[in-house]
Amino acid sequence: MRTRPATMAMKVPEITLVFWIAKLCTTGFGESFSDYVFFNDYIGQHAAMLMGLVLLLVCLAVQMSITKYIPWVYWLAVTAVSIFGTMSADFLNKDLGMPLYASTLMLVAVQIGVFAAWYATQRTLDVHSIDNRLRELFYWLTVLCTFALGTAAGDFAAVTLGLGTLASSFVFFGIILIPAVGYRWFRLNEVLAFWFAYTITRPLGASVADWLSVPAPYGDGLQLGTGPISLVLGILLAGVITVIASRHRRSDPPKAAPPNSVEGVQGTFRN
């Protein structure tokens, strides 16, 4: 008789305020660091893409190999996705010459296709149901799609629509309030609200990062440089992940000692 395989322990974090702060930090850092590497003449765009892909594969391999949620592993994987997702969208536009509206529409279609395949095979898109390998694969593919789509959408708003990075930041901030308000007061489905907000955090964070960092003649903001802003946002991201990891350690109950271990025997006598 074939037994049903055991489900995995949850490997994604709880959706709290600090989760959204960390997500925005990964989007901002991923945008600025990707721009710093991808448009660096000493590295080259193809070499940058290859390095980003290797980083992504290594981080996802580690994430997929562990059996529980480990904050540093998870958030490093999200950061790697952010970097490579940004490069992928820029590659479509800069190297392949695809107009921003076309790449945005194409990535919307890809993300809808991933959602459709995920739901057709698993009958759920809930991140709290990531308890088997296929769902985990769909989850990370969706995350990658959201980052690439968000980058294209942010550039489309700032460049093609002519809004600029600062105005785009305010537009996406207003858009991200829609799922928050809808979920809080109008009973919007929580899964839809989550993925809506998750997708919009990307162009929001990317627009803010571009406003801070992109130098002249391409930037329209403070033009502080992608390198310095990457460093600042990287330190901020590391600090947020440290806080998350510390809170996770305090909330994670210690494992019970085996009965035949020294701790277990001592505990038996104390009881």
Side-chain angles (χ1 to χ4, degrees):
M1 179 178 179
R2 180 176 298 178
T3 59
R4 182 179 180 181
T7 58
M8 302 187 308
M10 284 297 297
K11 294 171 63 178
V12 297
E14 290 296 321
I15 312 304
T16 61
L17 176 60
V18 72
F19 169 90
W20 293 112
I21 294 173
K23 175 61 167 58
L24 282 170
C25 287
T26 63
T27 63
F29 172 76
E31 176 73 19
S32 57
F33 185 74
S34 172
D35 286 348
Y36 175 73
V37 176
F38 190 76
F39 296 107
N40 192 315
D41 293 335
Y42 293 100
I43 298 175
Q45 295 180 358
H46 292 164
M49 285 284 293
L50 180 60
M51 289 188 294
L53 178 60
V54 170
L55 176 65
L56 174 64
L57 293 177
V58 169
C59 289
L60 286 182
V62 175
Q63 169 66 20
M64 299 285 286
S65 67
I66 61 176
T67 58
K68 64 178 182 178
Y69 168 63
I70 300 176
W72 278 101
V73 175
Y74 174 85
W75 286 107
L76 285 176
V78 175
T79 303
V81 172
S82 175
I83 294 170
F84 185 73
T86 302
M87 290 181 179
S88 300
D90 287 337
F91 180 79
L92 293 174
N93 176 238
K94 306 299 182 183
D95 287 53
L96 300 185
M98 184 177 291
L100 287 170
Y101 78 87
S103 61
T104 301
L105 290 176
M106 184 193 75
L107 290 168
V108 167
V110 170
Q111 183 166 338
I112 291 174
V114 172
F115 277 139
W118 184 355
Y119 189 80
T121 57
Q122 303 299 308
R123 311 309 298 176
T124 181
L125 301 176
D126 190 351
V127 296
H128 297 105
S129 69
I130 310 298
D131 57 0
N132 64 51
R133 187 67 66 196
L134 183 57
R135 291 180 181 181
E136 188 177 16
L137 287 171
F138 273 123
Y139 173 80
W140 286 106
L141 183 57
T142 302
V143 171
L144 178 59
C145 289
T146 64
F147 275 100
L149 170 59
T151 299
D155 290 344
F156 173 73
V159 178
T160 304
L161 297 183
L163 296 178
T165 53
L166 183 60
S168 296
S169 300
F170 284 105
V171 168
F172 288 117
F173 179 75
I175 293 175
I176 206 172
L177 294 178
I178 296 174
V181 171
Y183 176 72
R184 178 66 177 84
W185 285 289
F186 297 98
R187 298 183 180 180
L188 179 65
N189 179 271
E190 63 178 353
V191 175
L192 174 60
F194 170 80
W195 284 117
F196 189 162
Y198 194 94
T199 301
I200 298 301
T201 55
R202 177 55 184 175
L204 172 59
S207 296
V208 173
D210 282 344
W211 179 74
L212 291 170
S213 64
V214 177
Y218 307 104
D220 62 350
L222 298 184
Q223 303 180 4
L224 298 177
T226 53
I229 294 301
S230 296
L231 179 61
V232 172
L233 292 177
I235 294 172
L236 178 61
L237 175 59
V240 173
I241 299 175
T242 300
V243 171
I244 292 174
S246 176
R247 294 176 60 178
H248 180 71
R249 283 194 300 270
R250 291 197 300 268
S251 64
D252 195 20
K255 293 182 180 180
N260 59 347
S261 68
V262 175
E263 292 85 353
V265 172
Q266 290 176 343
T268 301
F269 282 115
R270 282 196 294 269
N271 294 332

